Amino acid sequence: MNDIVLTGDRPTGPLHLGHYFGSLANRVRLQERLTMYVIIADYQVITDRDEPGAIQANITELLLDYLAVGIDPGKATIFQHSAIPELNQLLLPFLSLVSMAELQRNPTVKDEIAHSSQSAVSGLMFTYPVHQAADILFCKGTLVPVGRDQLPHVEVTRLVARRFNERYGQVFPVPEAMMGAQPLLRGLDGGKMSKSRGNSIPLRATEDETAALIRRAVTDGDRRITFDEEARPGVATLLTLTGLCTDRAPEQIADEIGDGGAATLKRVTTEAVNEFLRPIRRRRAELDPAEARQVLRAGNDRARATAVGTLEEVRLAMGF
Ligand code: TRP
């Protein structure tokens, strides 16, 4: 069977190195041999905030990140929730397939609620994983390259696909998650790396901004640099990052730094990250935002045609 790949991001801010090693690198590799859809999950932005904010600017920035890392619109279909009514309509039958208890015990949703600054948790916060099932199933996606935090959502999708097929006959494949080389890269403060937590290195940051971010990273006072994820999470994060950017083992980098202390480690990390991101940043600077938006319009048209077909199948299967 030929896999169909679906993955994507919320347009809430620039993509960072966690996205790159967790998912983007995989996408660039997979687009060569598989059908690939990349969703700009714009309706998902309003799960943990009241309003979408600078949504158009964020969508353009996300597109530029995609194109800069090498997602090729000739090979992949880039599209957005809000342009595909038929995808969104799948949410309705899909919601009937899951229980409230299942929605409430999703660990990623719980973590997002804990970090949300909203005074009230919206219904969408609990139901967006089912909406995400619609993102994956509208194109009959079979492979979902994501970071570790997204695994519960892929589980929801599998549940929805299985239950739909049981109740109404075989329509959907049951997709698999696929994790990158570094499924969960910790942030520079030791917590989950996140666009909204200010602890990540954006792909589009300048070299000076990158240096400043790494200078502020949490480490410890032990001059001897060793790789110990449990006892020294801050040091381990910088070593991991350097290892990913230079394609070496973090232990080897620790050995090379030896007694150099956190200052040397941070200098080495900064150089590795800036070197790694230089070609991506150069490509990004050369891109035309108007052309990027044109890429999105063309992708929306293609994705919509697929969604129309799937919704029709779903209606027929359900007897509507
Ligand atoms: N929830 C994902 C994130 O926050 C974005 C997303 C939306 C997604 N729909 C998806 C990822 C479907 C994979 C598949 O990053």
Side-chain angles (χ1 to χ4, degrees):
M1 190 185 68
N2 241 345
D3 275 305
I4 296 176
V5 183
L6 179 296
T7 185
D9 304 276
R10 295 181 191 183
T12 51
L15 294 181
H16 53 64
L17 277 175
H19 294 113
Y20 188 85
F21 292 112
S23 176
L24 295 170
N26 252 339
R27 299 181 200 177
V28 173
R29 206 166 45 77
L30 293 171
Q31 70 181 350
E32 295 304 325
R33 52 188 180 89
L34 301 172
T35 302
M36 189 164 76
Y37 290 87
V38 180
I39 184 164
I40 295 182
D42 52 0
Y43 278 155
Q44 217 179 81
V45 169
I46 45 172
T47 51
D48 66 350
R49 61 202 77 193
D50 294 336
E51 291 166 35
I55 189 73
Q56 296 310 329
N58 285 343
I59 289 171
T60 304
E61 292 298 314
L62 186 55
L63 275 166
L64 295 175
D65 281 337
Y66 285 163
L67 300 174
V69 300
I71 293 177
D72 177 350
K75 294 173 180 148
T77 299
I78 305 174
F79 69 103
Q80 65 196 121
H81 275 144
S82 64
I84 322 288
E86 294 78 8
L87 181 160
N88 296 304
Q89 193 172 325
L90 290 174
L91 177 61
L92 214 151
F94 286 2
L95 277 175
S96 76
L97 299 168
V98 294
S99 70
M100 282 299 287
E102 283 163 344
L103 294 176
Q104 282 167 336
R105 63 170 172 252
N106 184 307
T108 297
V109 167
K110 283 191 196 161
D111 185 61
E112 280 165 342
I113 290 172
H115 284 89
S116 162
S117 53
Q118 278 185 309
S119 52
V121 182
S122 75
L124 190 60
M125 174 60 98
F126 287 101
T127 53
Y128 89 80
V130 183
H131 190 221
Q132 195 159 320
D135 299 345
I136 296 168
L137 296 177
F138 92 98
C139 63
K140 303 197 176 173
T142 58
L143 202 59
V144 190
V146 282
R148 188 182 296 276
D149 63 311
Q150 296 295 302
L151 292 183
H153 300 349
V154 179
E155 262 328 297
V156 171
T157 304
R158 292 165 58 83
L159 198 72
V160 165
R162 261 191 250 111
R163 288 191 186 153
F164 188 94
N165 294 343
E166 275 162 25
R167 267 183 219 181
Y168 302 111
Q170 177 66 36
V171 170
F172 295 112
V174 179
E176 306 279 346
M178 181 192 201
M179 292 205 289
Q182 184 66 27
L184 188 74
L185 194 58
R186 251 195 275 258
L188 298 173
D189 58 359
K192 173 189 165 182
M193 189 181 276
S194 162
K195 282 184 280 221
S196 50
R197 296 179 200 178
N199 60 1
S200 61
I201 300 170
L203 301 177
R204 67 155 198 218
T206 64
E207 300 207 353
D208 287 346
E209 285 163 354
T210 303
L213 283 164
I214 293 172
R215 215 175 297 126
R216 288 208 313 264
V218 178
T219 50
D220 58 46
D222 190 344
R223 289 203 58 81
R224 171 128 215 116
I225 297 303
T226 53
F227 183 67
D228 184 340
E229 289 189 282
E230 294 294 313
R232 308 180 73 185
V235 168
T237 297
L238 294 181
L239 288 168
T240 302
L241 205 50
T242 308
L244 286 165
C245 288
T246 57
D247 204 10
R248 283 183 307 159
E251 292 85 352
Q252 187 194 339
I253 297 156
D255 284 348
E256 282 166 21
I257 295 172
D259 287 325
T264 309
L265 172 60
K266 288 181 177 181
R267 187 174 47 71
V268 168
T269 303
T270 302
E271 273 168 26
V273 169
N274 279 336
E275 174 103 356
F276 181 80
L277 288 177
R278 204 164 289 135
I280 291 172
R281 288 167 170 167
R282 194 179 305 126
R283 258 199 308 275
R284 202 181 192 285
E286 287 164 0
L287 289 164
D288 173 5
E291 273 174 42
R293 296 299 297 215
Q294 187 47 45
V295 162
L296 180 60
R297 273 191 290 278
N300 283 339
D301 288 345
R302 281 208 298 275
R304 185 152 190 207
T306 305
V308 166
T310 303
L311 181 63
E312 192 53 28
E313 248 185 282
V314 162
R315 280 203 197 107
L316 270 175
M318 296 179 76
F320 282 113

